[in-house]
Amino acid sequence: MVLTGCSWLVFGGEREWQSEPCGGSGTSAGGGEAAFLSAAAEITITPEPAQLAEGDNVTLVVRGLSGEELAYSWYAGPTLSLSYLVASYIVSTGDETPGPAHTGREAVRPDGGLDIQGLLPGHSGTYILQTLNRQLQTEVGYGHVQVYEILAQPSVLANDSELVERRDTLRLRCHSPAPAEVRWFFNGDVLPVALRLGLSPDGRTLTRHGVRREEAGAYQCEVRNPVSASRSAPLNLTVYFGPERVAILQDSTTRTGCTIRVNLNTSLTLWCVSRSCPEPQYVWAFNGRALENGRDHLNISGMAAAQEGTYTCIAKNPKTLLSGSASVVVKLTAAAVSMMIVPVPSKPTEGQDVTLTVPGYPRDLLVYAWYRGPASEPNRLLSQLPSGSWIAGPAHTGREVGFANCSLLLQKLNLTDAGRYTLKTVTLQGKTDTLELELQVALQTRTATAS
């Protein structure tokens, strides 16, 4: 066997020996390599205990010694170099001489073993024992020590903890300075990484392109070695999505796309729902006109003909910038509506327009006629609508307009427009109804101008 870097030198006095670096390999008179080496080394070195954590004590137990050893020399390194020498020990005297690699924690035992107290991670590596026997022959044995760190708590780092579904990429990194095996956890359970998430070769980075909503939750990583394990604090990931399946409900029943019939003067509450994260912003519209309501529900109280129409809910997600909508048609229940004439505004003034609306007008209307006075006087006919065609009558001034829902618009009122108005309707079944209204027109207040 060849020794590189060092060989036994000479006994310098009674019970003393030393070693020093060699410039090359020695040869014996017979031409063999390494003059004082035996033909083969049978020494084995085993650390006890086998699994070691920083702070532990260990004994490097030596087996295979002949029992005739004069001295031991321990090296903490890959070669028999003086710079790796931990200590030399004379068996007969028990004298121990520290070497350059001695840390103050090592001690040679009389049986050739080596005790190390309070292990540090730097104690990991190869250990070599060189012995000298009475025949001035040397033997070497090799052992290995692995000191594992007590792992500190790792941390999970994310490129962002708030992501948009199918648009953003999730990237998580397990940060730990120590070399260790890494495992990932999701909501407390071991994460099945192979299903969808990409794992880096060192196990420390998770990547998911086009993140999904089901991947929102608490992520942890755990680092492990044979003597310790430590798990990170949870990192909570939010995945924004929606709105989806926007719908309008009435009393927990889906009404989207339906017609809701409501009795006169009753109340109605419409709820807007959707699948969305975060909760969307809501906008309600009536017949295409936005209402001042930013809530998830809309209250309609005192239902009247003027509130009949299409109600639309628009849900907007401020994170995904997506939106969705749903609509319903609200109508009065025909049987519950009594026909009447309602002026809008209720107290018009001179110069204003007024519409004489007719809540509850018959839906099977055949013809109607408006009169400026009693219906018994034909010359007072303002307008009529037979079979969908509007016709002006003798009393028409050019300022009146009739509509299919029986309402009558009077434009630019003057004081002479006050008085009785009569509506006569005929249904397809031949039913005739007559309604009257006494219209009041207030005098417009004028502001005096100084001359």
Side-chain angles (χ1 to χ4, degrees):
M1 178 177 291
V2 177
L3 288 179
T4 59
C6 177
S7 65
W8 294 98
L9 191 61
V10 66
F11 287 94
E14 183 178 346
R15 295 183 296 182
E16 293 181 356
W17 63 277
Q18 67 182 57
S19 62
E20 68 176 18
C22 301
S25 59
T27 57
S28 67
E33 297 181 343
F36 302 112
L37 295 183
S38 61
E42 299 177 356
I43 297 174
T44 61
I45 299 172
T46 305
E48 294 183 0
Q51 289 189 344
L52 302 170
E54 55 182 318
D56 287 350
N57 300 329
V58 67
T59 297
L60 302 185
V61 178
V62 181
R63 295 180 177 85
L65 296 177
S66 66
E68 298 183 353
E69 285 77 18
L70 297 177
Y72 308 115
S73 184
W74 277 97
Y75 295 84
T79 62
L80 296 173
S81 171
L82 181 61
S83 61
Y84 296 135
L85 178 65
V86 176
S88 298
Y89 183 85
I90 303 299
V91 175
S92 60
T93 64
D95 292 337
E96 180 178 336
T97 304
H102 197 278
T103 67
R105 300 169 184 263
E106 299 86 0
V108 182
R109 298 164 60 98
D111 61 4
L114 181 67
D115 291 330
I116 306 176
Q117 304 289 318
L119 285 168
L120 300 173
H123 283 109
S124 297
T126 300
Y127 285 78
I128 305 174
L129 171 63
Q130 186 181 46
T131 66
L132 179 68
N133 62 22
R134 298 182 186 280
Q135 289 75 40
L136 300 183
Q137 295 175 321
T138 61
E139 288 186 300
V140 293
Y142 295 85
H144 185 79
V145 171
Q146 178 64 56
V147 181
Y148 293 99
E149 294 185 45
I150 301 299
L151 296 170
Q153 185 180 36
S155 59
V156 177
L157 307 178
N159 59 324
D160 199 337
S161 61
E162 297 181 354
L163 305 172
V164 175
E165 185 178 40
R166 301 180 184 274
R167 188 186 75 187
D168 294 337
T169 295
L170 167 65
R171 188 171 291 106
L172 301 177
R173 176 72 179 169
C174 185
H175 176 70
S176 174
E181 176 190 354
V182 177
R183 288 201 303 171
W184 287 92
F185 291 82
F186 177 63
N187 291 335
D189 297 325
V190 176
L191 179 65
V193 175
L195 293 182
R196 280 190 304 271
L197 297 170
L199 185 65
S200 63
D202 63 0
R204 297 195 172 220
T205 302
L206 289 175
T207 303
R208 171 71 163 110
H209 298 288
V211 65
R212 305 292 180 86
R213 68 190 68 179
E214 56 268 24
E215 287 151 7
Y219 287 83
Q220 293 171 279
C221 71
E222 184 180 83
V223 288
R224 303 173 63 89
N225 62 26
V227 298
S228 68
S230 182
R231 191 178 299 187
S232 71
L235 182 142
N236 292 306
L237 176 71
T238 301
V239 177
Y240 297 125
F241 62 87
E244 300 172 349
R245 302 182 183 178
V246 181
I248 294 177
L249 304 183
Q250 178 196 10
D251 300 327
S252 302
T253 302
T254 302
R255 298 295 190 182
T256 299
C258 297
T259 297
I260 302 174
R261 297 198 175 273
V262 184
N263 292 333
L264 183 67
N265 293 324
T266 59
S267 297
L268 171 68
T269 299
L270 301 177
W271 292 88
C272 190
V273 297
S274 68
R275 296 179 59 184
S276 178
C277 178
E279 185 73 12
Q281 299 168 348
Y282 295 100
V283 176
W284 287 90
F286 173 56
N287 291 335
R289 177 172 54 86
L291 301 176
E292 294 182 2
N293 183 313
R295 296 174 294 179
D296 60 353
H297 62 282
L298 178 68
N299 292 320
I300 305 172
S301 58
M303 184 67 193
Q307 295 166 298
E308 288 187 309
T310 301
Y311 289 84
T312 302
C313 168
I314 303 170
K316 299 179 179 180
N317 189 318
K319 297 295 185 178
T320 65
L321 304 181
L322 300 176
S323 63
S325 65
S327 298
V328 294
V329 176
V330 177
K331 289 187 176 182
L332 286 168
T333 304
V337 179
S338 17
M339 190 167 63
M340 64 183 70
I341 300 175
V342 179
V344 179
S346 59
K347 296 180 180 179
T349 60
E350 181 184 9
Q352 273 191 315
D353 294 350
V354 67
T355 301
L356 305 184
T357 64
V358 187
Y361 74 92
R363 297 304 192 263
D364 58 347
L365 182 69
L366 173 63
V367 64
Y368 77 78
W370 278 99
Y371 295 85
R372 179 66 173 85
S376 58
E377 302 180 19
N379 62 330
R380 291 183 177 271
L381 178 67
L382 287 172
S383 59
Q384 63 182 19
L385 190 72
S387 304
S389 300
W390 186 81
I391 301 173
H396 193 273
T397 67
R399 293 181 291 113
E400 299 85 7
V401 180
F403 298 95
N405 61 359
C406 291
S407 61
L408 179 69
L409 171 64
L410 305 178
Q411 304 176 82
K412 297 181 180 179
L413 290 173
N414 56 52
L415 297 178
T416 62
D417 291 322
R420 183 188 302 181
Y421 288 81
T422 303
L423 171 65
K424 187 175 182 179
T425 62
V426 181
T427 67
L428 293 172
Q429 287 74 33
K431 180 183 177 182
T432 301
D433 281 307
T434 302
L435 297 175
E436 292 186 348
L437 169 72
E438 198 69 29
L439 180 65
Q440 303 292 326
V441 179
L443 180 65
Q444 184 179 25
T445 302
R446 291 180 174 82
T447 303
T449 304
S451 58

